[in-house]
Amino acid sequence: MSPELEAIAYRATEDVQARFTALAHHLTTGFLEETWHTLNQHGAPGLSGETMAAYARVREQRIPALVATLKAGAYRVPPIRRVYIPKPGQPQKQRPLGIPEVEDRLLQAAVHRLLQPIYEATFLNTSYGFRSGRSPHGALEALATTVTTCPIEWVFEADIRGFFDHLQHDWLMQMLGERIGDPGVLRVIAKWLHAPIVEPDGRRSRPTEGAPQGGPLSPLLGNIYLHYALDLWFAMVVQPACRGEARIIRFADDFVVLFARKDDADRFATDLPTRLRKFGLELAAEKTRLIPFGRIASRVASQHNQPSERFDFLGFTHFGARSRTGRWTLQRRPTPKSRHKFLVHVKSELHRLMHAGVKAQQLYLRQALQGYYGYFGYPGCWRALQGVRWHVGFLWYHALRRRSQRSSQSKQWYFRQPWFSLPNAQLRPPST
C-alpha cells in the first residue's frame, strides 16, 4: 500500500466518524500509473474498441492529459457498452454488464483504491464480498462456526432481485456523503452513475437508477449501499430486539441470516421487505424462505422420517448430518447449478481449443479442475468433485471425437492414453 493510502487507512481506522474532504488531489499521474499495473491487461474493450494494449502504447501522453482534465473539473464519462451474458444455470436468462472505456476503467480503479481503505474501516465484520483479505471461504467458515457453536435453529435465505439494476442514485450519493466530502470525487461518481448506456442494437439510454456491473468501482458501491441499507440496520435495530442469537453473513448481495428463535426470525422476515423497499430493492419471493435448520430441526425431521431442510449459499448446498461419533455437523456439497456452470464453461473452452494440440487442451483442463478443487474441495465433497472430473473427461473425449468424424477409437482407448490423464479430486487443507 502506498504512503498516501496508508495515511487514509490510518485516519479512517482511528476516527470512524471522519469525513474525507480532500481526496481528489491524490489522483496524480504517478497514482494512475500505479493503478494501471493493477488492472486486468486482457479486459474487454469499450464502445470505441480501444484495447488495453492500444492504450498502453499511448498512456504516457494520455494519463497526464486525464489528470489535467480532472483538475479542471471537465472530465466527461464516455458511453458504456452494454453486453449480456447468460446467467449461471439459467441460459434462458441474461445478466447485463457494462463495459467502460479503458481510460474510464483506469479512473474508476484509481477512485476505488482511494475509497477502499476508508470503507474497510467502515464495513462490519459480517460483510465478506469484494473486500481486501476476505473471501467466500471466510464467509463459509463463519457460517459453519456460527451454526455449530451457537444455538441456531432457523435460517433465512434471501435473494435480492436485480440488486445492481435498482440501486437508487440519491440514496447512494447520500450514503457516500457520510464519509466522503470531496466534491470532486463525488461529482465524478455521480457522472459514472448517470453515464449513457449503449445497447448491442445501438439504442442509448441514460439510467436513473442502478450501477452497471463490469466497472472496477461497482462492487464497492454495492457494498456501501448494503452496508447502510442492511448491515447497520441489522446490527443496530434487529439484533438488539432479538430475544435469542441472531447473525447475518453477507457476501456482496448474497446473504443468509441465522436465528435461535422462530419469533425473532418471523419478525425479521416480516420487516425485511419493508426495509429494502425503502431503498428501492425487493426480494425475489421464489428464492426467499425461512427454514428450520439445526440440531433440533434435524432430530424432528428424523423422528418423522423426513429429510432435513437444506439451503444454498455461495455455490454450496448446506445440510446437517451426524458424524461417525454421532455429533451433529454442517455438511456441504457443490450445488447442481455451480457444477453445471463449470461444465458449460469447460465445454465452451474445449470448443475454442478444438484445433489446439492435446497437450494444450490438457493444460487448460488441469488448471480448470485445480481451480474448481481449490474452491469446492471441502471435506465431504470428494465424491462430487470426482463426478465433475469424470464429466470433464467425457466432454474432452467428445471434443476430440468431433475433430474427426471418421475416428474409430473407442472411449476406453482415449481414457487409457497417458496424455488423457486429469488430476483427481483434491480437498482444501483444513483452516487454521
Side-chain angles (χ1 to χ4, degrees):
M1 187 181 290
S2 62
E4 58 262 51
L5 294 181
E6 288 181 354
I8 292 172
Y10 178 79
R11 185 184 173 207
T13 304
E14 288 297 303
D15 183 0
V16 294
Q17 302 295 327
R19 199 161 174 264
F20 292 79
T21 57
L23 290 172
H25 70 279
H26 292 297
L27 296 172
T28 62
T29 298
F31 190 81
L32 265 66
E33 278 284 351
E34 289 179 10
T35 304
W36 171 261
H37 296 289
T38 69
L39 294 178
N40 174 14
Q41 300 299 311
H42 304 286
L47 189 64
S48 71
E50 183 180 42
T51 63
M52 297 290 290
Y55 187 87
R57 290 192 290 269
V58 296
R59 76 175 192 274
E60 291 184 1
Q61 297 79 42
R62 296 274 294 274
I63 289 179
L66 173 60
V67 171
T69 303
L70 282 171
K71 287 183 177 179
Y75 180 72
R76 298 183 65 182
V77 177
I80 294 173
R81 180 169 70 95
R82 176 81 83 193
V83 298
Y84 293 89
I85 61 173
K87 284 192 173 183
Q90 297 175 293
Q92 73 280 8
K93 295 185 178 180
Q94 293 188 313
R95 172 179 296 165
L97 295 180
I99 310 299
E101 296 289 350
V102 172
E103 190 165 81
D104 197 52
R105 194 179 312 162
L106 170 62
L107 184 56
Q108 282 196 41
V111 172
H112 181 279
R113 288 182 66 202
L114 287 179
L115 299 187
Q116 185 177 32
I118 298 172
Y119 285 100
E120 277 303 309
T122 304
F123 293 148
L124 304 184
N125 287 332
T126 53
S127 166
Y128 290 85
F130 304 108
R131 294 182 58 186
S132 178
R134 290 181 165 239
S135 68
H137 294 128
L140 291 167
E141 290 304 315
L143 173 63
T145 300
T146 303
V147 168
T148 55
T149 62
C150 298
I152 300 302
E153 293 300 336
W154 296 88
V155 170
F156 183 86
E157 57 172 333
D159 183 87
I160 299 177
R161 194 187 305 278
F163 170 67
F164 279 97
D165 297 333
H166 298 294
L167 299 186
Q168 302 299 297
H169 294 170
D170 290 345
W171 271 118
L172 180 55
M173 297 307 298
Q174 184 176 329
M175 293 167 180
L176 285 165
E178 290 291 316
R179 298 222 69 179
I180 310 300
D182 188 315
V185 171
L186 292 175
R187 189 183 307 117
V188 74
I189 292 176
K191 288 181 178 180
W192 279 322
L193 293 175
H194 294 91
I197 305 290
V198 180
E199 298 290 339
D201 61 4
R203 288 181 296 111
R204 292 192 174 215
S205 62
R206 193 173 290 273
T208 58
E209 63 178 6
Q213 296 182 72
L217 194 60
S218 296
L220 179 60
L221 295 180
N223 263 342
I224 293 169
Y225 203 84
L226 284 179
H227 169 73
Y228 288 100
L230 179 64
D231 298 353
L232 282 181
W233 171 69
F234 187 84
M236 300 175 68
V237 177
V238 176
Q239 278 183 315
C242 288
R243 298 171 62 192
E245 196 76 40
R247 304 282 184 90
I248 186 171
I249 299 170
R250 181 175 68 81
F251 188 94
D253 59 327
D254 195 2
F255 65 95
V256 292
V257 193
L258 314 172
F259 294 95
R261 295 176 58 96
K262 189 174 187 300
D263 54 347
D264 293 335
D266 286 336
R267 185 167 57 253
F268 175 79
T270 300
D271 294 345
L272 179 63
T274 303
R275 174 68 181 181
L276 294 180
R277 198 156 43 242
K278 176 180 178 179
F279 297 94
L281 305 175
E282 67 170 328
L283 295 171
E286 68 278 8
K287 299 180 181 178
T288 301
R289 60 182 186 143
L290 176 64
I291 61 170
F293 189 89
R295 294 177 180 85
I296 297 176
S298 293
R299 189 184 312 130
V300 170
S302 177
Q303 290 171 351
H304 291 83
N305 294 320
Q306 295 177 345
S308 300
E309 290 281 4
R310 303 178 173 215
F311 66 94
D312 294 345
F313 184 56
L314 298 181
F316 289 89
T317 296
H318 301 265
F319 57 95
R322 295 286 175 183
S323 67
R324 293 178 181 177
T325 60
R327 180 170 166 265
W328 188 90
T329 62
L330 180 70
Q331 296 290 314
R332 311 178 178 94
R333 299 285 187 278
T335 64
K337 180 178 176 180
S338 64
R339 282 179 276 180
H340 177 72
K341 176 184 175 182
F342 175 73
L343 292 172
V344 166
H345 181 71
V346 166
K347 184 177 181 179
S348 173
E349 286 298 296
L350 283 173
H351 181 76
R352 185 180 66 84
L353 296 169
M354 179 177 291
H355 299 293
V358 294
K359 289 295 184 182
Q361 293 179 346
Q362 184 196 44
L363 176 62
Y364 160 72
L365 293 175
R366 292 179 69 89
Q367 291 174 340
L369 281 171
Q370 294 288 7
Y372 191 84
Y373 299 158
Y375 185 85
F376 289 101
Y378 279 95
C381 294
W382 189 87
R383 192 181 299 274
L385 300 185
Q386 281 294 89
V388 169
R389 174 187 178 275
W390 184 90
H391 277 95
V392 168
F394 197 69
L395 290 173
W396 191 16
Y397 156 71
H398 277 285
L400 293 173
R401 290 271 294 180
R402 280 196 295 272
R403 296 170 101 175
S404 173
Q405 296 296 329
R406 293 176 295 178
S407 175
S408 60
Q409 303 296 349
S410 67
K411 180 173 66 176
Q412 289 73 21
W413 181 88
Y414 280 101
F415 276 75
R416 286 197 300 266
Q417 302 310 304
W419 51 264
F420 199 83
S421 65
L422 295 172
N424 282 314
Q426 299 170 9
L427 300 184
R428 292 168 47 81
S431 58
T432 55

